[in-house]
């Protein structure tokens, strides 16, 4: 039952987090006991109380650390990943305690099994291996510098063996066996897979028998470790089972070893350089060959190649490559400027010749720029900042990209914060944020005390924890090689590093006890240290962070998802874009059974073969989507890229969309383009398209609402704005051509398809979504990129069918995603009200504005410049006092903001230049609005504020 599965995911996240804390407590107490002189723990129970106090404080500090707490309330993999990290490190300490006993190696086998299981969750757990090997080394061998270096080298080899051999090559070998036995020997499907496992099991049995017969304990244990990693890793078979069950949500559809390898290698996400590669502006000189794409052909009884992947791997100009490339990606707009801002703009000019024969000069970044970007951005901004969030304090929950307003660490100590961020006292209301957490460096200081004490008392254990800290922190920084403009903050990736630091926070309690007990009664010391550290670290963290981590009463994701569905007509097709506006919709359909007649189509995912195939079958109450192209024509490697190739005879023609789709679907060689390697591919020869409408049929079937029928057009004309189709573009056009207006089609955003379906005037807002209809938007209602609006339908949907997630509840926290998502209803209510106003429905327009302000009040989401249209609507509808209230509030907000900018001092004027300009422009707009509506008191206040800040900007006293 899907509902139970969804509940179990949340339960498992909560349980994983709870057990993580429990294992951390045990780990700290085990390490703490080792710091007590031999025999003293039994004779001096006070020291054991200090050990327990250390465990409590350290475990609770991690409990209330920002990143771990965030991951604990997400239905994601990171809570369980932290659990496995905590479990395996605790297990190696348990092994250490009994290492000299018979059967002690069972703990190592247990660790191997847990590591194998963790691979199916997240590979973060693998980074605990170097710390585990150090524990083994210190227990079994006499420490030496040479031995430690050798041990760390072996640990990296073990880690690499699991990551780059066991995980991918096990599946690749299965795939190779499958191809050989099926394609070469003509055996049935899956025969190669079965034979591989029989051989593997046979080899394991022989190895275990041989090692036991010859009493080779190490070999026997190594084989068992390998076996139990594989057993744990076999949890991935769930994905294959799910794929073959063909569930409604079946991402990537890994049905067999061949497709599973692509899934494990994350081919859909691309690759990135780590040890050697290109700079971001490196020219591509040629293309190499990738791995061919195989699919199962039931009729032929073998696997066939659908894409040989020849000429698909870019090879870069060697003059623009380097070892350890950090400035490597040009995938996101503005990346070059971003790299230069963080890494510097110096470099070496190099002349390059383009494919057109033209020569241009490119600046190759210097290696010092490369390292500067690593230190300032990847380490400083994308790791150290997160570290300080957890143990020093946090400015707010706004994602930051380097400015002083958003997402910085903040201690609460003015002389540390003010030079970096400007004054943080008496912030204007618009900048106040529940996620501003001031920890005054106390967790950091206690952790550093514990770090020093640990190394002083037991340097071997200290080095082990340090290795865990570095491998789950800086090592991830080096491996991820993060590029500019990450779509969200990535602090959850480093939770393992913060876990290691929490151990030192716990041991810091022991350090303080040791030092204080030399001067004060030990019993009094342990009580005093425990209470002070408990209050100053975990209690402080809990108090500061509770309001921005508490999710009780918040239902925005669920309700907003339901609003999308409530906005659609029966049997609708709704195109969404990314994860955030798709996964909640899947949830409400799968778990809560909301509108299972609608088909949610993720436009990005539909570039994948597996997804298009899913669209072609019935799911719940939604019938298959109609397509002209056959399933094999959407197969992997087929029509992934359909180029525009102009043909003179069609140069100025405008053709029917259906004819274009038939042309692409045709298997006639005359409708194909022959590539240089001899292969034939589909293409399109024209960009001017039309879609002829049977208006009488649409009226008869009730497709177009009565209120809109007078604006229907008999033909839609548009021009393709791109020189190629990807699979999702082709799928969209195929659906539009084949649907024949049988099923209503909606879009979450019209701009997502503007390159291939450039018909903005024919998208109409209905509630939360935009409906595609052969009706031209009224010129007064049309906004480029946002279409027109069907005001009457939107009024009914927004007023009677939507829910708003309790965001107006004073208790409920508005997280950044909910804040961003509130822009959609703000826009929807505003546009509906404006359209109703133009129709003379003043009362309805006021109701729209009132409803928005009721559910998204200024007390929760401070009014901003986008509330100016609301004031304008109120004035035009005759609700003068309500308009005045908004203008008055906006005057207060921007007056406070501008006052704050000047209070920060001249050193920050350059940073706030754009904000000051915006604030002054808004004050000017408010002056105009007050003047136009004859509100003299507001006009006087607006002029006074404007003049005062104008003089402040030029450093003059107001006249």
């Amino acid at each position: 039952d899907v509902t139970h599965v969804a509940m179990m995911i949340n339960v498992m996240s909560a349980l994983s987090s709870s057990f993580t804390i429990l294992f951390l407590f045990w780990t700290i107490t085990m390490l703490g006991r080792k710091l007590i002189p031999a025999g003293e723990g039994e004779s001096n129970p006070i020291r054991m109380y200090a050990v327990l106090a250390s465990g409590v404080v350290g475990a609770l500090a991690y409990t209330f650390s920002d990143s771990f707490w965030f991951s604990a309330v997400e239905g994601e993999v990171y809570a369980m990943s932290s659990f496995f990290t905590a479990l395996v490190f605790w297990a190696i300490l348990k092994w250490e305690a009994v290492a000299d006993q018979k059967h002690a190696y069972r703990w190592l086998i247990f660790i191997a099994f847990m590591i194998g299981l963790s691979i199916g969750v997240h590979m973060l757990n693998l980074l605990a291996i170097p710390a585990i090997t150090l524990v083994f080394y210190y227990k079994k061998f006499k420490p030496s510098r040479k031995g430690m270096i050798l041990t760390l080298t072996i640990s990296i080899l073990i880690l690499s063996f699991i990551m780059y051999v066991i995980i991918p090559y096990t599946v690749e070998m299965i795939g190779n066996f499958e191809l050989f036995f099926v394609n070469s020997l003509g055996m049935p499907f899956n025969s190669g897979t079965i034979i591989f496992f029989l051989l593997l099991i046979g080899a394991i049995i022989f190895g275990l028998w041989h090692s036991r017969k010859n009493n080779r304990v190490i070999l026997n244990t190594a084989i068992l470790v390998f076996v139990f990693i594989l057993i744990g890793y076999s949890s991935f078979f769930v994905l294959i089972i799910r794929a073959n069950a063909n569930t409604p949500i079946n991402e990537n559809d890994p049905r067999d070893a061949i497709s599973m390898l692509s899934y494990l290698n994350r081919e859909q996400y691309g690759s990135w350089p780590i040890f050697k590669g290109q700079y971001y502006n490196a020219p591509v000189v040629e293309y190499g060959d990738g791995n061919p794409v195989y699919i199962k052909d039931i009729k032929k009884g073998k696997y066939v190649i659908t894409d040989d992947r020849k000429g698909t791997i870019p090879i870069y100009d060697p003059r623009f490559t380097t070892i350890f490339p950090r400035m490597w990606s040009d995938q996101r707009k503005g990346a070059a400027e971003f790299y230069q801002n963080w890494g510097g703009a110096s470099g070496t000019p190099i002349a390059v010749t383009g494919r057109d024969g033209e020569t241009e000069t490119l600046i190759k970044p210097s290696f010092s720029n490369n390292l500067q970007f690593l230190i300032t951005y990847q380490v400083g901004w994308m790791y150290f900042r997160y570290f300080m969030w957890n143990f020093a304090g946090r400015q707010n929950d706004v994602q930051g990209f380097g400015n002083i307003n958003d997402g910085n660490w903040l201690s609460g100590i003015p002389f540390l914060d003010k030079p970096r961020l400007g004054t943080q006292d008496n912030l204007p209301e618009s900048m106040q944020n529940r996620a501003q957490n001031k920890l005054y460096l106390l967790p950091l200081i206690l952790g550093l005390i514990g770090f020093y004490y640990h190394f002083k008392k037991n340097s071997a254990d200290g080095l082990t924890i340090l290795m865990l800290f570095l491998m789950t922190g800086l090592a991830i920084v080096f491996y991820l090689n993060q590029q500019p403009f990450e779509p969200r903050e990535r602090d959850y990736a480093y939770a393992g590093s913060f876990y290691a630091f929490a151990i030192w926070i716990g041991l810091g309690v022991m350090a303080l006890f040791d030092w204080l007990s030399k001067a004060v009664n030990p019993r009094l010391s342990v009580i005093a240290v425990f209470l002070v550290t408990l209050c100053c670290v975990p209690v402080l963290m809990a108090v500061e962070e509770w309001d921005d981590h508490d999710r009780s009463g918040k239902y925005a994701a669920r309700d907003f998802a339901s609003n999308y569905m409530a906005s659609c007509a029966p049997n609708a097709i709704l195109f969404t874009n990314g994860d955030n506006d798709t996964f909640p919709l899947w949830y409400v359909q799968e778990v809560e059974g909301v509108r299972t007649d609608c088909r949610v189509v993720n436009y990005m995912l539909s570039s994948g073969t597996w997804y298009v195939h899913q669209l072609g079958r019935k799911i719940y109450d939604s019938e298959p989507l109609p397509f002209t192209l056959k399933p094999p024509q959407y197969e992997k490697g087929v029509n992934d890229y359909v180029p525009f190739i102009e043909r003179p005879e069609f140069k100025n023609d405008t053709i029917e969309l259906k004819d274009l789709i038939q042309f692409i679907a045709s298997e006639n060689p005359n409708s194909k383009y022959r590539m240089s390697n001899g292969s034939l591919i589909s293409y399109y020869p024209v960009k001017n398209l039309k879609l002829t409408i049977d208006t009488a049929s649409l009226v008869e079937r009730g497709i177009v609402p009565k209120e809109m029928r007078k604006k229907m057009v008999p033909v839609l004309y548009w021009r393709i704005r791109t020189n190629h189709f990807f699979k999702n573009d082709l799928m969209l056009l195929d659906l539009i051509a084949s649907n024949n207006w049988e099923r209503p089609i909606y879009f979450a955003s019209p701009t997502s398809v503007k390159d291939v379906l450039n018909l903005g005037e024919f998208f109409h807002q209905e509630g939360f979504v935009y409906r595609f209809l052969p009706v031209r938007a009224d010129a007064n209602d049309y906004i480029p990129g946002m279409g027109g609006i069907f005001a009457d339908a939107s009024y009914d949907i927004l007023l009677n069918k939507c829910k708003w997630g309790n965001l107006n509840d004073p208790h409920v926290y508005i997280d950044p995603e909910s804040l961003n998502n509130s822009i959609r209803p703000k826009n929807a209510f505003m546009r509906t009200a404006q359209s109703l106003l133009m129709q003379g429905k003043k009362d309805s327009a006021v109701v729209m504005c009132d409803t928005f302000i009721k559910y998204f009040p200024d007390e929760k989401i401070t009014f901003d410049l986008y509330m100016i249209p609301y004031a304008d609507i109120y004035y035009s509808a005759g609700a003068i006092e309500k308009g005045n209230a908004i203008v008055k509030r906006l005057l207060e907000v921007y007056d406070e903001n501008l006052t704050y900018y000047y209070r920060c001092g001249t050193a920050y004027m350059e940073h706030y230049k754009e904000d000051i300009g915006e604030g002054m422009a808004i004050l000017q707009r408010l002056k105009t609005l007050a003047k136009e509506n004859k509100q003299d008191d507001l006009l006087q206040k607006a002029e006074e504020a404007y003049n005062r800040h104008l003089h402040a900007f030029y450093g003059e006293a107001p006249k």
Side-chain angles (χ1 to χ4, degrees):
D1 184 279
V2 177
T3 305
H4 292 155
V5 171
M7 291 173 61
M8 283 303 298
I9 290 173
N10 289 321
V11 169
M12 288 302 294
S13 182
L15 286 176
S16 297
S17 303
S18 300
F19 278 111
T20 300
I21 301 307
L22 186 59
F23 281 117
L24 176 57
F25 169 77
W26 286 337
T27 297
I28 294 173
T29 55
M30 291 169 73
L31 291 169
R33 283 200 300 270
K34 294 171 67 177
L35 301 182
I36 300 175
E40 191 174 328
E42 292 76 11
S43 61
N44 186 358
I46 300 299
R47 280 199 174 274
M48 293 308 298
Y49 294 149
V51 169
L52 293 174
S54 299
V56 170
V57 173
L60 288 179
Y62 189 58
T63 301
F64 300 117
S65 62
D66 184 81
S67 299
F68 176 72
W69 198 346
F70 175 80
S71 69
V73 296
E74 274 198 320
E76 265 278 15
V77 300
Y78 306 107
M80 186 170 285
S81 175
S82 293
F83 161 71
F84 277 113
T85 301
L87 175 59
V88 298
F89 194 74
W90 168 82
I92 194 62
L93 295 181
K94 290 291 289 184
W95 168 85
E96 184 187 31
V98 298
D100 298 325
Q101 299 178 13
K102 189 177 181 181
H103 305 308
Y105 281 144
R106 62 186 176 179
W107 283 104
L108 301 182
I109 295 169
F110 172 76
I111 290 171
F113 182 45
M114 292 302 103
I115 286 176
L117 282 176
S118 74
I119 294 170
V121 178
H122 197 277
M123 290 198 294
L124 174 66
N125 178 252
L126 297 177
L127 297 176
I129 289 174
I132 289 172
T133 57
L134 278 179
V135 174
F136 184 90
Y137 169 72
Y138 285 126
K139 185 65 179 179
K140 288 294 185 179
F141 301 94
K142 184 178 180 180
S144 67
R145 181 176 296 179
K146 181 179 179 181
M148 288 170 51
I149 294 174
L150 181 61
T151 300
L152 290 176
T153 302
I154 292 173
S155 72
I156 298 300
L157 292 175
I158 294 172
L159 175 61
S160 301
F161 180 73
I162 296 174
M163 284 188 63
Y164 299 113
V165 178
I166 291 181
I167 294 176
Y169 279 104
T170 301
V171 179
E172 184 170 338
M173 288 175 66
I174 297 172
N176 291 336
F177 267 69
E178 181 73 3
L179 285 175
F180 174 74
F181 282 95
V182 175
N183 283 16
S184 300
L185 301 184
M187 295 179 68
F189 289 119
N190 300 320
S191 57
T193 302
I194 295 170
I195 291 170
F196 173 84
F197 278 109
L198 289 175
L199 292 174
L200 178 63
I201 293 169
I204 290 170
I205 292 173
F206 174 78
L208 292 173
W209 171 81
H210 175 76
S211 59
R212 281 185 64 87
K213 180 181 178 182
N214 295 280
N215 198 30
R216 302 181 65 178
V217 177
I218 300 298
L219 176 61
N220 184 267
T221 304
I223 294 173
L224 285 173
V225 164
F226 173 73
V227 169
F228 275 86
I229 289 177
L230 285 183
I231 292 173
Y233 182 35
S234 68
S235 61
F236 266 108
F237 277 122
V238 171
L239 299 178
I240 296 177
I241 294 169
R242 181 201 69 187
N244 282 279
N246 213 5
T247 58
I249 297 178
N250 180 20
E251 292 204 46
N252 293 287
D253 194 22
R255 293 172 176 264
D256 46 49
I258 295 172
S259 54
M260 188 67 179
L261 182 62
S262 172
Y263 177 88
L264 290 175
N265 287 337
R266 297 167 60 87
E267 290 181 3
Q268 70 187 78
Y269 298 106
S271 60
W272 63 92
I274 299 176
F275 300 112
K276 185 178 180 180
Q278 75 282 359
Y279 282 114
Y280 64 88
N281 59 349
V284 176
V285 293
E286 59 179 316
Y287 287 88
D289 298 337
N291 296 321
V293 175
Y294 288 90
I295 63 167
K296 184 186 292 185
D297 191 318
I298 303 296
K299 293 181 179 178
K300 294 182 179 180
K302 63 179 183 179
Y303 297 94
V304 298
I305 295 177
T306 57
D307 185 359
D308 57 15
R309 293 275 182 93
K310 291 187 180 297
T312 58
I313 307 299
I315 298 175
Y316 296 95
D317 188 330
R319 295 175 297 172
F320 286 82
T321 60
T322 181
I323 58 170
F324 201 58
R326 304 292 98 183
M327 305 168 71
W328 62 275
S329 173
D330 66 346
Q331 298 173 11
R332 293 168 182 164
K333 186 177 180 181
E337 183 180 357
F338 191 94
Y339 281 127
Q340 291 166 10
N341 288 339
W342 287 92
S346 62
T348 304
I350 299 177
V352 298
T353 303
R355 293 188 175 185
D356 56 3
E358 296 292 327
T359 300
E360 62 174 326
T361 300
L362 300 178
I363 305 298
K364 173 188 175 181
S366 67
F367 193 68
S368 62
N369 295 147
N370 189 57
L371 293 182
Q372 182 177 333
F373 180 77
L374 165 68
I375 294 168
T376 58
Y377 178 71
Q378 293 183 331
V379 174
W381 187 255
M382 296 301 287
Y383 173 73
F384 180 74
R385 176 173 61 107
Y386 296 147
F387 176 81
M388 297 297 278
W389 277 5
N390 286 272
F391 305 114
R394 183 174 180 178
Q395 182 184 29
N396 53 46
D397 61 11
V398 183
Q399 183 175 1
F401 295 100
N403 61 70
I404 66 173
N405 281 349
D406 303 328
N408 294 277
W409 68 268
L410 176 78
S411 68
I413 302 173
F415 78 86
L416 290 178
D417 299 329
K418 188 173 181 178
R420 295 182 301 111
L421 308 175
T423 180
Q424 297 294 301
D425 297 325
N426 300 317
L427 288 174
E429 193 169 343
S430 65
M431 297 184 190
Q432 293 175 15
N433 190 288
R434 287 195 187 186
Q436 184 180 93
N437 303 316
K438 298 176 180 179
L439 304 181
Y440 307 103
L441 303 182
L442 294 176
L444 176 66
I445 293 169
L446 186 58
L448 292 176
I449 291 171
F451 171 83
Y452 169 78
Y453 180 76
H454 200 196
F455 269 86
K456 183 178 180 182
K457 289 283 188 176
N458 189 330
S459 59
D461 280 1
L463 185 60
T464 300
I465 303 303
L466 179 62
M467 184 54 58
L468 179 64
F469 177 74
L470 294 176
M471 289 300 297
T472 53
L474 291 180
I476 295 179
V477 172
F478 297 148
Y479 175 75
L480 292 179
N481 200 1
Q482 288 172 326
Q483 57 183 309
F485 304 114
E486 290 289 347
R488 64 169 173 153
E489 299 284 18
R490 300 297 193 187
D491 57 301
Y492 53 81
Y494 307 107
S497 181
F498 309 146
Y499 175 93
F501 193 79
I503 293 174
W504 286 323
I505 289 178
L507 296 181
V509 176
M510 281 199 69
L512 294 179
F513 165 75
D514 262 7
W515 298 337
L516 186 62
S517 63
K518 293 174 183 178
V520 181
N521 179 279
R523 187 180 297 274
L524 181 61
S525 296
V526 73
I527 295 173
V529 168
F530 175 62
L531 291 178
V532 170
T533 55
L534 183 70
C535 292
C536 291
V537 178
V539 170
L540 173 65
M541 295 168 76
V543 170
E544 283 290 307
E545 298 177 21
W546 190 280
D547 59 352
D548 58 293
H549 289 82
D550 177 14
R551 299 295 186 270
S552 60
K554 179 176 175 294
Y555 297 98
R558 183 201 67 183
D559 287 357
F560 280 33
S562 298
N563 293 347
Y564 279 93
M565 310 307 288
S567 302
C568 296
N571 205 32
I573 301 168
L574 171 61
F575 282 88
T576 58
N577 302 302
D579 295 349
N580 290 350
D581 63 352
T582 302
F583 292 171
L585 273 64
W586 282 350
Y587 165 81
V588 296
Q589 283 191 314
E590 294 279 337
V591 178
E592 305 202 1
V594 174
R595 294 299 305 275
T596 54
D597 61 305
C598 293
R599 180 65 65 95
V600 176
V601 181
N602 185 306
Y603 193 58
M604 291 172 62
L605 289 182
S606 56
S607 59
T609 293
W610 56 274
Y611 192 71
V612 181
H613 288 341
Q614 287 183 11
L615 297 177
R617 67 185 184 90
K618 182 175 181 177
I619 294 179
Y620 299 123
D621 300 317
S622 172
E623 296 297 324
L625 301 193
F627 294 119
T628 298
L629 274 71
K630 305 301 180 186
Q633 294 177 303
Y634 282 115
E635 197 51 80
K636 188 181 293 185
V638 180
N639 290 327
D640 288 339
Y641 181 87
V642 180
F644 168 67
I645 299 174
E646 190 173 36
R647 286 174 52 172
E649 62 268 34
F650 295 134
K651 186 172 183 180
N652 297 312
D653 285 2
T654 300
I655 68 170
E656 281 286 345
L657 175 61
K658 292 182 180 180
D659 293 337
L660 178 66
I661 295 300
Q662 290 287 356
F663 179 84
I664 294 174
S666 172
E667 296 297 336
N668 189 327
N670 292 329
S671 66
K672 306 296 179 185
Y673 178 77
R674 187 173 296 277
M675 302 286 286
S676 58
N677 61 6
S679 62
L680 296 175
I681 64 168
S682 299
Y683 72 101
Y684 61 102
V686 293
K687 288 191 174 184
N688 295 320
L689 300 179
K690 64 180 179 178
L691 185 62
T692 302
I693 312 298
D694 185 348
T695 54
S697 173
L698 265 59
V699 170
E700 182 181 344
R701 289 185 283 152
I703 303 299
V704 178
K706 292 180 181 180
E707 303 91 324
M708 305 178 78
R709 290 174 182 173
K710 293 181 180 180
K711 300 176 184 177
M712 289 179 65
V713 297
V715 184
L716 301 180
Y717 294 95
W718 76 100
R719 181 172 174 81
I720 301 296
R721 298 173 58 180
T722 179
N723 289 322
H724 55 262
F725 296 151
F726 292 117
K727 196 183 295 288
N728 56 344
D729 302 322
L730 180 60
M731 179 279 300
L732 171 65
L733 294 178
D734 188 356
L735 174 64
I736 298 294
S738 308
N739 183 51
N740 197 30
W741 305 99
E742 295 291 337
R743 298 181 67 170
I745 296 178
Y746 293 84
F747 293 83
S749 171
T751 58
S752 63
V753 296
K754 67 181 184 301
D755 288 339
V756 292
L757 196 64
N758 186 24
L759 288 166
E761 292 178 283
F762 298 92
F763 291 94
H764 304 269
Q765 178 192 310
E766 286 190 26
F768 249 51
V769 295
Y770 296 84
R771 188 170 182 175
F772 178 50
L773 285 172
V775 176
R776 191 182 303 278
D778 189 289
N780 295 324
D781 282 333
Y782 174 67
I783 298 176
M786 299 175 67
I789 182 169
F790 184 16
D792 292 339
S794 282
Y795 179 86
D796 178 56
I797 291 167
L798 295 171
L799 196 62
N800 302 315
K801 298 180 181 180
C802 289
K803 298 176 290 184
W804 306 107
N806 290 345
L807 294 182
N808 59 337
D809 186 333
H811 166 77
V812 171
Y813 166 62
I814 301 182
D815 63 284
E817 281 301 323
S818 298
L819 184 63
N820 290 336
N821 288 332
S822 70
I823 296 172
R824 181 176 289 269
K826 179 181 287 187
N827 177 69
F829 276 103
M830 179 196 70
R831 293 196 65 196
T832 303
Q834 288 175 332
S835 183
L836 291 169
L837 194 61
M838 285 186 285
Q839 297 175 35
K841 301 177 181 179
K842 294 183 178 180
D843 291 344
S844 296
V846 170
V847 168
M848 281 286 95
C849 295
D850 288 349
T851 304
F852 174 78
I853 293 173
K854 174 184 177 182
Y855 290 109
F856 301 90
D858 171 67
E859 295 79 20
K860 295 299 297 295
I861 302 177
T862 305
F863 283 176
D864 57 16
L865 66 95
Y866 299 104
M867 291 302 296
I868 292 176
Y870 279 81
D872 210 358
I873 293 167
Y874 276 134
Y875 284 137
S876 299
I880 303 300
E881 291 306 314
K882 293 181 178 180
N884 285 345
I886 292 179
V887 172
K888 182 179 179 182
R889 178 59 183 142
L890 289 174
L891 279 172
E892 292 173 353
V893 168
Y894 286 95
D895 188 13
E896 283 184 2
N897 289 354
L898 288 165
T899 300
Y900 171 78
Y901 300 147
Y902 298 129
R903 187 157 54 90
C904 284
T906 56
Y908 295 96
M909 284 300 98
E910 185 62 29
H911 172 80
Y912 286 120
K913 189 175 181 179
E914 290 185 9
D915 297 294
I916 292 171
E918 178 185 282
M920 295 298 291
I922 291 169
L923 291 181
Q924 181 68 48
R925 176 73 183 95
L926 294 175
K927 282 172 54 182
T928 303
L929 195 61
K931 185 176 182 180
E932 290 174 347
N933 292 280
K934 299 181 174 56
Q935 301 303 307
D936 295 335
D937 289 344
L938 283 179
L939 175 60
Q940 183 179 348
K941 290 180 180 179
E943 286 180 336
E944 187 276 329
Y946 181 84
N947 291 332
R948 174 161 39 86
H949 292 301
L950 185 65
H951 289 297
F953 180 78
Y954 288 108
E956 304 171 1
K959 299 177 182 179

